[in-house]
Amino acid sequence: MQVVLLAVGMLCASISYTFLVMNCPPPLQVQVGSLQMPIEFDGHFGTFFRMFSQQLVTILPPNTNLQQAYEGGTDEQQAFVQNLALFYTGFLKHHIPYLESQPAEHQVLLLGLENLINISYVEDTEVFKTCLDYWNMFVADIYATQAHAFVGAAASGDFSFATPGATANGVAPGSQRKMLYTGILSKLRALMINRMAKPEEVIVVEDDQGNIVRETMKDNDVLMQYRTMRETLIYLSHLDYEDTEHQMLEKLRGQMSGSWTWNGLNTLCWAIGSISGSMHEEQENRFLVTVIRDLLNLCEITRGKDNKAVIASNIMYVVGQYPKFLRAHWKFLKTVVNKLFEFMHETHPGVQDMACDTFLKIANKCKRKFVVLQLQEQQPFVGELLDNLQATIQDLQPHQIHSFYESVGLMIGAEVDSAKRDEYLSRLMAPPNAIWAQIIKQAQANPDVLKQQEVIKSLTNVLQTNVAVCSSLGHPYLSQMIQMADSMLTVYRLYSESVGQAIVTGGPHSARSSFVKYMRSVKKAVLRLIETFVDKCEDEALLATKFVPALMEPVLGDYATSVPDAREPEVLSLFAAIVKKLKAAMEPEVPKVLTAVFEPTLAMITINFEDFPEHRLKFFALLHAITNHCFKCLFAMSPPQLKLLIDSIIWAFRHTERNVAETGLLLLEDMLKSFATSEFATQFHQTYYTQLMREVFAVMTDTFHTPGFKLHCKILLHLFSLVRTDAVIRAPLWDVQAKGPNAYPSNAAFVQEYVCSLLATSFPNMTPLQIQAAVAGMMAIEDKRAFKHHMRDFLVQVGVAHCSYFLIIHSQVLCEMHVFFLHPSML
């Protein structure tokens, strides 16, 4: 309390002192204003704020243009404004309820808020962030109060449709706050509109030299700022739709009057797009008709490529934010899409990309409208689009064409008539199919044609176009896949042979040459298309009988016989997808898959922890899929094969790459659960229980695998739970031949002694009593959360620095696996 009174006294003593302390780090006013005290001190804070405001007027008159003053000010003057922003936001955050409750303080309260609005226009990112965070909280609180009053009035029956938040007998408390801040809220709307940050969808931007270019890198700070401003403006729009609409249309009329600027139009349109869904439907429709019409007119009358690019990007952003409006207004929707097609011919950087992105967004939200015959139309719009397909996409780059095809695939997928859908698909794929057929015909006469760089690019683009259509169209893509399948696998085989020959001739380093990479890009595109089709196909029987057998020789056979540098990791992800799709129906083929990929891949990834990173992750994902969906296939493995599988899982969760380690732990967890319910539970655990217990303790107690702690605990808890009873493991886990069948009264006693011995060897800093108490807790605790807390306490107690034993075990396992892989005959 004395601090507050002292600050007030110093504040009144001298204006120059006020300026001085506002620049002291940390400012005294900021500290005092942010204090939270009991309510009996509120009056003192009110006096402090009033006296502060009175003194501040002599330094900053109400009509001061802070934006200009800040830009031309000294470092000290700028620091004063920065500290003033901190003071206002800190004080008002804690003490505005008291100022609102005192009518005599309303004037200084409103003056302080207006000062903060003026500070918010200052061109300083940190200052604006400080202000914006407060405005977001301030507006959200007013909206919550208004909504609470509205709900309260409705619940009590004292409700009127005349004014939201009002009661039949007078003005609700929420409306009183809204009325108090009417002027402030209106100025806040202007602030948000004038300073709206750029949304993620906009990629046509102005660079530091004032040129309109395509954005090359996303600014996460700007995106976060946009989300906060969007939320704030939506609250403001809900509080007063009419004022929001009025201010936006007034600014739009100002832009249309001939004095428009890039920044002015950008911030306005970003603000318009940000409030999608916050107005009543009729009001929103009226508002958007005006906005879109004016923007289209502005685009028509404006000259200059940069100007048109700015207007085009704003049109595309606004229309992309209001799909509901477009669905309800076919003529506007058609006009907008045709305008997007015009923009696809505009070669200004970023315009074509944004046009394709917006078209994809609209196609996704309004797809049904394009396949239905609309009033006064001769045919559905998709038919008209396909008639002019070549002319529309002739100026697009390959990646833009893929996006365009994905959009049309969404439209075709909305057609319920299968005959029409197949016809549309055939017309859509006619251009890429013609290119594909021509290349295949040339290759039949001269296979060396496939080695030409332009041919390789054409094949890759055709395949990527098919991927785009398949991903958006889904199962109806089947007819196109049947048409492509045989020739596609032939191309895959030919490029596999060419890649293998190039590597054999040029040596291992040739695998990194541009020529080999180009050829492999075709193989990768083939695998990507097949995997996408597998994911989308709904006819599992057709997949299992027709497509999977056809993949065995050209894809799996190639993987098994290729040199390591030529093996595609996408083969592993493809068969993981097939296993997940077909589940038990894939069991007859799983042994062939494992024969082709298991040993070759392990030989690649166990040399070290760095080479072939994609193969590592996708290999263990494949094993995980087989364990979850074709678990019975593991029963057919020979003991050496099963040991190799377990060793590979241990290798995975010992990996320093977090994704690989996590995949290995998840795989182990699921495998243990599956074996626990199988008829081979006893045999499996007799062989691997103690090894797995030791290995999981090893990774838990080193410093490289801390992100996996939660999974470590789940696996250890499962292992301990197995020996509490004889329901799962029905034979001794210890070596019966060496110790005899009655060496331990139960498996629980054996495991407890084993773990105590393991920990005592690993952590000599712990006493026998400490170890016994820790292991007893591990054996007894059944609750997951309690077990995790117990293990955390255990790690704190032992300290992970004392884990030399486990590191030695790690090295031994590494050496053993190298020896194992040098002798594949053991399989």
Side-chain angles (χ1 to χ4, degrees):
M1 187 58 221
Q2 291 176 346
V3 174
V4 177
L5 295 177
L6 177 62
V8 174
M10 290 190 299
L11 178 64
C12 299
S14 169
I15 295 175
S16 61
Y17 184 76
T18 301
F19 183 83
L20 175 63
V21 295
M22 285 301 288
N23 288 282
C24 292
L28 180 60
Q29 279 83 351
V30 175
Q31 287 184 317
V32 173
S34 300
L35 286 175
Q36 290 182 274
M37 304 286 285
I39 58 174
E40 56 263 27
F41 297 110
D42 284 349
H44 297 289
F45 279 104
T47 302
F48 171 56
F49 187 74
R50 183 173 64 255
M51 297 177 68
F52 178 87
S53 300
Q54 291 169 353
Q55 293 291 332
L56 185 63
V57 170
T58 61
I59 301 174
L60 290 177
N63 296 326
T64 302
N65 188 328
L66 270 178
Q67 187 177 2
Q68 292 181 0
Y70 186 89
E71 187 175 351
T74 63
D75 290 344
E76 291 78 9
Q77 290 168 337
Q78 290 182 349
F80 174 76
V81 175
Q82 293 165 8
N83 289 332
L84 193 59
L86 291 172
F87 167 75
Y88 273 129
T89 55
F91 186 92
L92 294 172
K93 189 179 295 183
H94 299 299
H95 305 298
I96 198 171
Y98 170 76
L99 298 177
E100 289 178 352
S101 68
Q102 303 297 315
E105 306 292 355
H106 286 181
Q107 184 176 356
V108 291
L109 170 60
L110 296 177
L111 176 62
L113 290 170
E114 288 199 20
N115 284 338
L116 189 57
I117 289 176
N118 292 334
I119 293 171
S120 301
Y121 279 100
V122 165
E123 292 294 338
D124 184 292
T125 303
E126 294 306 316
V127 171
F128 185 69
K129 283 182 181 178
T130 300
C131 298
L132 179 60
D133 288 341
Y134 175 74
W135 290 131
N136 181 256
M137 184 193 71
F138 171 74
V139 174
D141 184 53
I142 294 177
Y143 175 77
T145 306
Q146 176 85 354
H148 181 73
F150 182 81
V151 173
S156 64
D158 197 16
F159 172 73
S160 169
F161 281 102
T163 305
T167 65
N169 298 326
V171 181
S175 294
Q176 290 177 352
R177 291 191 76 197
K178 178 181 171 183
M179 290 169 61
L180 173 63
Y181 296 123
T182 297
I184 296 297
L185 294 175
S186 183
K187 291 180 180 180
L188 269 180
R189 292 183 189 95
L191 171 67
M192 294 298 138
I193 293 169
N194 288 323
R195 296 212 59 178
M196 180 58 68
K198 184 184 73 64
E200 186 174 11
E201 295 89 342
V202 176
I203 58 176
V204 179
V205 297
E206 183 179 359
D207 65 9
D208 295 336
Q209 288 73 43
N211 301 315
I212 299 299
V213 297
R214 186 192 189 283
E215 185 180 51
T216 55
M217 186 177 298
K218 299 293 184 184
D219 188 332
N220 289 329
D221 287 340
V222 173
L223 295 180
M224 289 298 296
Q225 184 176 311
Y226 168 76
R227 293 187 185 107
T228 304
M229 296 187 74
R230 175 179 178 272
E231 180 181 316
T232 305
L233 190 54
I234 287 175
Y235 282 132
L236 290 166
S237 179
H238 279 299
L239 287 168
D240 194 334
Y241 306 111
E242 286 75 15
D243 186 59
T244 305
E245 178 183 8
H246 173 74
Q247 290 203 41
M248 289 181 171
L249 292 180
E250 278 297 311
K251 187 171 182 181
L252 181 59
R253 278 191 282 270
Q255 297 288 313
M256 293 293 296
S257 65
S259 58
W260 75 281
T261 62
W262 292 347
N263 184 65
L265 187 65
N266 284 340
T267 54
L268 171 61
C269 290
W270 299 342
I272 291 172
S274 71
I275 63 169
S276 171
S278 65
M279 295 183 178
H280 296 301
E281 185 172 353
E282 292 183 5
Q283 184 182 18
E284 185 176 89
N285 290 345
R286 183 182 68 248
F287 172 65
L288 279 178
V289 166
T290 303
V291 169
I292 295 175
R293 183 189 62 221
D294 287 352
L295 288 175
L296 290 173
N297 290 339
L298 184 62
C299 188
E300 292 296 327
I301 64 176
T302 302
R303 296 293 175 264
K305 282 189 171 293
D306 282 352
N307 292 334
K308 282 187 172 291
V310 170
I311 299 170
S313 72
N314 285 309
I315 291 173
M316 290 185 283
Y317 173 66
V318 170
V319 299
Q321 295 302 108
Y322 290 91
K324 185 178 179 181
F325 168 81
L326 295 177
R327 285 196 298 268
H329 299 81
W330 165 249
K331 289 189 176 181
F332 261 102
L333 174 58
K334 183 178 180 180
T335 301
V336 164
V337 172
N338 284 329
K339 198 67 181 178
L340 291 177
F341 292 167
E342 289 182 26
F343 293 152
M344 289 178 188
H345 299 290
E346 177 55 64
T347 56
H348 197 288
V351 174
Q352 290 175 308
D353 283 318
M354 197 166 174
C356 292
D357 291 346
T358 306
F359 181 48
L360 178 59
K361 192 173 185 178
I362 291 175
N364 187 39
K365 298 292 185 180
C366 309
K367 48 182 173 284
R368 181 63 184 161
K369 293 293 178 181
F370 297 108
V371 295
V372 174
L373 182 62
Q374 302 292 337
L375 191 64
Q376 298 179 344
E377 298 288 347
Q378 299 298 318
Q379 61 176 331
F381 183 82
V382 67
E384 182 181 331
L385 182 154
L386 293 172
D387 289 340
N388 303 295
L389 178 62
Q390 291 282 47
T392 303
I393 65 174
Q394 64 183 359
D395 294 323
L396 296 178
Q397 297 299 312
H399 72 279
Q400 296 163 347
I401 293 176
H402 304 155
S403 176
F404 186 93
Y405 266 73
E406 183 179 355
S407 305
V408 182
L410 288 168
M411 296 179 184
I412 295 174
E415 176 57 68
V416 295
D417 187 327
S418 58
K420 288 184 179 180
R421 193 169 55 222
D422 289 344
E423 178 202 344
Y424 291 148
L425 177 61
S426 176
R427 292 170 62 186
L428 175 65
M429 302 308 297
N433 284 348
I435 296 173
W436 180 269
Q438 182 181 6
I439 293 174
I440 296 299
K441 184 177 180 181
Q442 292 173 352
Q444 288 173 344
N446 180 16
D448 289 340
V449 167
L450 296 177
K451 298 181 181 180
Q452 297 175 11
Q453 188 169 328
E454 289 303 316
V455 171
I456 293 174
K457 286 184 178 180
S458 295
L459 287 174
T460 304
N461 286 331
V462 169
L463 289 167
Q464 289 174 341
T465 301
N466 277 269
V467 171
V469 175
C470 182
S471 64
S472 61
L473 180 57
H475 180 73
Y477 178 80
L478 175 63
S479 59
Q480 171 70 9
M481 189 64 181
I482 291 174
Q483 183 178 341
M484 290 273 296
D486 291 341
S487 59
M488 188 167 58
L489 291 176
T490 300
V491 167
Y492 186 93
R493 180 179 55 78
L494 292 174
Y495 276 111
S496 296
E497 294 172 357
S498 298
V499 169
Q501 291 172 0
I503 293 177
V504 169
T505 304
H509 294 292
S510 63
R512 299 176 179 85
S513 67
S514 58
F515 174 62
V516 171
K517 286 182 178 178
Y518 272 126
M519 291 193 293
R520 291 182 68 182
S521 68
V522 178
K523 295 177 64 180
K524 289 177 182 292
V526 169
L527 295 171
R528 173 77 188 281
L529 175 56
I530 297 173
E531 184 176 345
T532 304
F533 174 71
V534 167
D535 180 58
K536 300 295 181 180
C537 184
E538 298 171 3
D539 191 341
E540 296 180 6
L542 181 66
L543 268 181
T545 57
K546 180 176 176 62
F547 288 100
V548 171
L551 298 175
M552 289 300 173
E553 190 279 324
V555 176
L556 276 182
D558 168 65
Y559 187 93
T561 58
S562 294
V563 297
D565 288 317
R567 290 180 182 138
E568 307 300 339
E570 289 78 9
V571 172
L572 303 173
S573 59
L574 167 61
F575 279 91
I578 292 173
V579 170
K580 290 177 184 177
K581 190 74 174 184
L582 298 182
K583 297 181 176 63
M586 187 62 184
E587 287 181 357
E589 305 293 341
V590 166
K592 300 176 186 176
V593 175
L594 290 176
T595 300
V597 306
F598 195 49
E599 184 182 349
T601 308
L602 280 175
M604 293 164 57
I605 67 176
T606 53
I607 298 174
N608 54 48
F609 282 127
E610 288 80 33
D611 295 343
F612 306 105
E614 287 188 80
H615 292 76
R616 295 173 188 275
L617 190 59
K618 293 178 179 179
F619 172 69
F620 291 115
L622 171 60
L623 293 184
H624 198 182
I626 292 173
T627 300
N628 282 345
H629 303 293
C630 301
F631 181 70
K632 291 181 180 179
C633 294
L634 303 186
F635 301 158
M637 285 183 164
S638 65
Q641 287 177 322
L642 187 57
K643 183 181 186 306
L644 184 57
L645 174 62
I646 298 300
D647 287 342
S648 68
I649 295 173
I650 294 172
W651 180 271
F653 66 70
R654 280 189 170 278
H655 207 287
T656 52
E657 173 62 38
R658 180 173 179 175
N659 291 338
V660 177
E662 183 177 355
T663 302
L665 290 169
L666 291 171
L667 170 55
L668 176 60
E669 182 187 15
D670 289 343
M671 180 179 288
L672 288 173
K673 290 179 179 178
S674 297
F675 266 113
T677 58
S678 74
E679 57 186 303
F680 299 98
T682 299
Q683 295 170 263
F684 174 82
H685 289 98
Q686 280 184 310
T687 308
Y688 298 108
Y689 185 95
T690 55
Q691 179 187 5
L692 293 174
M693 178 74 78
R694 181 180 68 245
E695 295 297 340
V696 175
F697 265 113
V699 291
M700 173 181 274
T701 53
D702 68 24
T703 58
F704 307 109
H705 300 89
T706 51
F709 174 73
K710 184 178 179 180
L711 285 170
H712 298 154
C713 290
K714 290 176 69 175
I715 292 170
L716 288 176
L717 178 61
H718 173 78
L719 290 173
F720 282 120
S721 67
L722 291 176
V723 297
R724 292 196 185 105
T725 67
D726 297 331
V728 176
I729 306 173
R730 300 177 180 178
L733 289 174
W734 62 90
D735 188 345
V736 174
Q737 292 183 348
K739 297 184 177 183
N742 300 317
Y744 298 92
S746 66
N747 281 328
F750 164 72
V751 169
Q752 187 162 354
E753 180 181 302
Y754 173 81
V755 175
C756 285
S757 175
L758 178 67
L759 297 181
T761 306
S762 307
F763 304 107
N765 60 312
M766 293 185 69
T767 66
L769 289 177
Q770 288 177 317
I771 292 177
Q772 289 171 11
V775 176
M778 297 175 196
M779 293 290 298
I781 296 173
E782 299 182 21
D783 179 71
K784 291 181 181 179
R785 178 173 295 183
F787 186 84
K788 186 169 67 173
H789 288 314
H790 180 75
M791 296 307 297
R792 186 179 288 115
D793 292 341
F794 164 72
L795 292 179
V796 172
Q797 188 178 21
V798 301
V800 294
H802 301 281
C803 57
S804 56
Y805 173 79
F806 286 129
L807 294 178
I808 293 172
I809 291 294
H810 180 198
S811 301
Q812 291 176 349
V813 172
L814 191 66
C815 294
E816 289 173 3
M817 292 189 73
H818 277 310
V819 172
F820 193 91
F821 292 126
L822 289 174
H823 301 280
S825 59
M826 293 181 66
L827 283 175

